[in-house]
């Protein structure tokens, strides 16, 4: 159901880390963006979390947020060049985060489910490029006592894994729990290059494009981008995995939910787009380096960006005519190649940029309004701990990334309603939406 315009803003304030906590050791330092930060989207990412009543008061929510910010100084800082060397950096100056409080006479039940729509922008802070805050929180209080929390964070400060951990720590602080684990903040230690640095892969053409001479195809704009969510039940997911694992034609190891469901959605979107069989299509698959890097190992609590991408590529004829297991194997094999050696090569590439061995580069992440067709990009949030996002009365009853700005962008999220089920949020060209909906659950 849509969100009405009867949302009244009652307060806008700047919240700073708790004064009862000792100053963070990194206070007032400039933390340079790592090569992983610079490869990430240069934008604010918005998410919405809906909680049924009862929920803690706004005062309690803000008090908990202030306490946890003391341990995450990057979120209270500002993006700016380091005055000593002009490198893009985060100034950990405790400037604070913006908190917006609203209220509405509606009940949360009137607004559920939160379907993707432009109106959802009313429930989260602005995300335009002029926003200086690296974290913003909007507390939308409904007449029934229910709460929708809108969060925006700058992607070059932290990836989704990091922000998931931060939100869980906030919820624990509201519940009065102490920190059982602390964020690992030594970004320099995570990105130490080898000596001498050796870039063994063509990163300048994969994760970046060089100046205006890039050989990469120019992105296409899309006049109408529609956001939609498709629910795949636990029964559907288990049946799909069973079908893939029993396919003797393409022996595969135990396949993950992500691999199987991505293969399925890739097939259905390719068909909905009406692509010719001779065309090729690739998926940009996010790969978390925390699970890849071993020497030295990176703590899962590392707060920052540590994601690179795999690019499984097939002809549209293969995608449409070959089995699900065939497509799963292509995805699995491509992801496996983004291993520790690849991450180390990328870190060395970053060192070569900083020393002037490589020219100025810009990230290949698409911009808002672009179409990826015939390609896709996917993020998996299936391992994020949304069920732990409990402010004292249970986890969220609904979760939504409110606006995916790029056609062909997908996000896989564990369902709040059905254990083992998956909600796939995606953005498609308006002309392809109806056919995709018709075939989205067909296993043929």
């Amino acid at each position: 159901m849509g969100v009405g315009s009867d949302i009244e803003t009652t307060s806008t304030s700047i919240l700073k880390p708790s004064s009862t906590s000792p100053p963070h050791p990194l206070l007032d330092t400039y933390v340079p963006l790592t090569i992983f930060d610079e490869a990430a989207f240069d934008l604010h990412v918005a998410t919405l979390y809906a909680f049924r009543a009862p929920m803690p008061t706004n005062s309690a929510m803000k008090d908990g947020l202030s306490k946890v910010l003391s341990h995450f100084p990057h979120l209270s800082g500002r993006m700016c060049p380091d005055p000593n060397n002009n490198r893009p950096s985060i100034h950990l100056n405790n400037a604070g985060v913006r908190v917006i409080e609203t209220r509405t006479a509606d009940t949360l039940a009137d607004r559920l489910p939160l379907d993707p729509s432009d109106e959802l922008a009313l429930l989260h802070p602005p995300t335009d490029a002029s926003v200086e805050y690296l974290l913003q929180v909007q507390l939308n209080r409904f007449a029934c006592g229910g709460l929708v929390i809108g969060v925006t964070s700058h992607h070059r400060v932290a990836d989704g894994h990091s922000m998931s951990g931060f939100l869980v720590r906030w919820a624990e602080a509201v519940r009065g729990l102490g920190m059982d684990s602390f964020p690992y903040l030594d970004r320099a230690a995570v990105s130490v290059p080898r000596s001498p640095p050796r870039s063994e892969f063509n990163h300048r053409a994969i994760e970046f494009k060089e100046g205006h001479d890039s050989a990469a195809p120019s992105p296409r704009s899309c006049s109408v981008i529609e956001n939609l969510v498709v629910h795949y039940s636990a029964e559907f997911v288990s049946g799909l995995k069973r079908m893939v694992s029993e396919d003797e034609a393409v022996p595969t190891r135990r396949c993950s939910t992500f691999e199987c469901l991505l293969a399925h959605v890739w097939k259905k979107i390719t068909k909905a787009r009406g692509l010719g069989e001779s065309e090729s299509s690739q998926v940009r698959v996010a790969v978390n380096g925390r699970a890849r890097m071993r020497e030295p190992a990176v703590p899962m609590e590392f707060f920052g960006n540590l994601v690179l991408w795999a690019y499984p590529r097939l002809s549209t004829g293969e995608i449409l005519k070959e089995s699900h297991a065939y497509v799963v194997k292509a995805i699995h094999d491509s992801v496996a190649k983004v291993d520790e050696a690849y991450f180390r090569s990328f870190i060395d590439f970053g060192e070569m940029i900083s020393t002037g061995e490589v020219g100025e580069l810009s990230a290949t992440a698409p911009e808002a309004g672009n179409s990826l067709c015939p390609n896709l990009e996917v993020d998996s949030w299936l391992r994020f701990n949304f069920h732990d996002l409990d402010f004292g009365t249970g986890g969220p009853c609904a979760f939504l990334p409110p606006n995916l700005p790029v056609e062909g962008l997908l996000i896989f999220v564990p369902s709040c309603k059905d254990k083992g089920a998956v909600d796939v949020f995606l953005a498609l060209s308006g002309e392809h939406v109806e056919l995709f909906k018709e075939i989205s659950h067909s296993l043929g």
Side-chain angles (χ1 to χ4, degrees):
M1 184 174 291
V3 176
S5 58
D6 56 345
I7 296 178
E8 177 189 359
T9 299
T10 59
S11 173
T12 299
S13 59
I14 307 302
L15 185 70
K16 297 189 176 185
S18 174
S19 59
T20 62
S21 300
H24 197 279
L26 295 176
L27 182 62
D28 208 29
T29 61
Y30 288 85
V31 178
L33 297 186
T34 69
I35 187 67
F36 295 100
D37 298 331
E38 295 190 18
F41 281 100
D42 185 14
L43 49 74
H44 299 265
V45 179
T47 49
L48 295 173
Y49 307 85
F51 297 84
R52 291 191 173 92
M55 277 291 285
T57 65
N58 285 7
S59 178
M61 297 290 288
K62 291 189 293 182
D63 184 57
L65 180 58
S66 179
K67 289 177 180 176
V68 78
L69 283 173
S70 301
H71 303 288
F72 293 83
H74 298 74
L75 293 174
S76 297
R78 295 292 184 267
M79 203 81 72
C80 64
D82 185 332
N84 297 311
N85 54 29
N86 209 37
R87 288 188 62 182
S89 303
I90 306 169
H91 185 198
L92 308 190
N93 58 0
N94 270 5
V97 306
R98 176 157 62 181
V99 177
I100 301 171
E101 300 173 62
T102 76
R103 65 185 177 193
T104 176
D106 295 331
T107 66
L108 185 57
D110 293 333
R111 299 305 181 192
L112 293 176
L114 295 175
D115 294 323
S117 71
D118 292 340
E119 291 182 337
L120 290 182
L122 296 170
L123 295 177
H124 65 75
T127 57
D128 56 273
S130 64
V131 173
E132 65 174 336
Y133 307 99
L134 303 183
L135 173 68
Q136 301 177 101
V137 173
Q138 184 165 319
L139 303 174
N140 303 286
R141 187 71 60 170
F142 286 75
C144 60
L147 187 68
V148 172
I149 303 174
V151 177
T152 76
S153 59
H154 200 290
H155 204 327
R156 289 196 167 174
V157 174
D159 56 24
H161 179 96
S162 294
M163 288 307 301
S164 172
F166 166 76
L167 293 171
V168 171
R169 301 287 89 77
W170 175 23
E172 291 173 346
V174 172
R175 285 154 53 197
L177 302 178
M179 295 273 287
D180 59 358
S181 63
F182 293 88
Y184 183 77
L185 302 178
D186 193 345
R187 298 187 177 207
V190 170
S191 300
V192 175
R194 294 169 290 190
S195 180
R198 52 189 189 275
S199 178
E200 297 150 328
F201 300 90
N202 190 15
H203 300 293
R204 74 174 66 208
I206 298 173
E207 289 86 10
F208 293 95
K209 50 190 176 183
E210 191 165 12
H212 298 288
D213 299 323
S214 172
S218 300
R220 294 182 287 181
S221 62
C222 187
S223 58
V224 179
I225 298 176
E226 289 192 26
N227 277 226
L228 60 153
V229 56
V230 181
H231 179 77
Y232 290 100
S233 68
E235 182 181 7
F236 180 92
V237 171
S238 61
L240 178 63
K241 294 174 71 174
R242 184 169 55 252
M243 181 182 72
V244 170
S245 63
E246 293 174 353
D247 189 334
E248 297 180 357
V250 184
T252 57
R253 297 179 178 179
R254 182 181 178 185
C255 55
S256 68
T257 295
F258 171 73
E259 292 170 339
C260 291
L261 203 51
L262 175 57
H264 177 77
V265 174
W266 193 4
K267 278 175 163 285
K268 299 310 167 186
I269 291 179
T270 299
K271 185 171 183 178
R273 283 170 163 174
L275 300 173
E277 291 187 5
S278 62
E279 293 190 62
S280 63
S281 173
Q282 71 179 20
V283 184
R284 189 177 194 246
V285 181
V287 180
N288 188 344
R290 296 166 182 82
R292 294 291 196 273
M293 298 171 67
R294 289 286 179 261
E295 297 180 3
V298 177
M300 295 304 289
E301 294 80 13
F302 170 68
F303 186 81
N305 284 292
L306 199 61
V307 169
L308 291 176
W309 298 271
Y311 292 87
R313 188 179 188 89
L314 294 170
S315 72
T316 54
E318 288 175 292
I319 297 168
L320 294 173
K321 293 183 177 180
E322 297 290 350
S323 67
H324 280 71
Y326 182 95
V327 180
V328 166
K329 186 175 186 302
I331 295 168
H332 179 88
D333 291 349
S334 180
V335 170
K337 293 177 181 177
V338 187
D339 55 10
E340 178 166 27
Y342 192 89
F343 273 86
R344 295 297 173 194
S345 172
F346 187 71
I347 291 170
D348 288 359
F349 179 73
E351 176 66 10
M352 295 166 70
I353 292 176
S354 67
T355 57
E357 296 180 52
V358 178
E360 185 175 346
L361 301 169
S362 57
T364 54
E367 297 181 358
N370 284 350
S371 170
L372 298 179
C373 186
N375 302 323
L376 298 171
E377 175 162 345
V378 61
D379 280 337
S380 173
W381 295 0
L382 296 179
R383 294 185 179 181
F384 293 177
N385 300 319
F386 291 117
H387 60 279
D388 290 336
L389 190 56
D390 179 0
F391 290 92
T393 57
C397 63
F399 163 80
L400 189 73
N403 180 36
L404 303 181
V406 176
E407 190 277 339
L409 188 59
L410 317 173
I411 299 179
F412 288 16
V413 177
S415 173
C416 292
K417 303 175 183 177
D418 180 10
K419 185 177 181 180
V422 177
D423 291 330
V424 178
F425 296 88
L426 65 157
L428 285 180
S429 173
E431 61 184 321
H432 303 144
V433 168
E434 287 307 314
L435 178 55
F436 175 78
K437 287 181 177 179
E438 289 178 16
I439 64 177
S440 60
H441 287 76
S442 169
L443 292 176

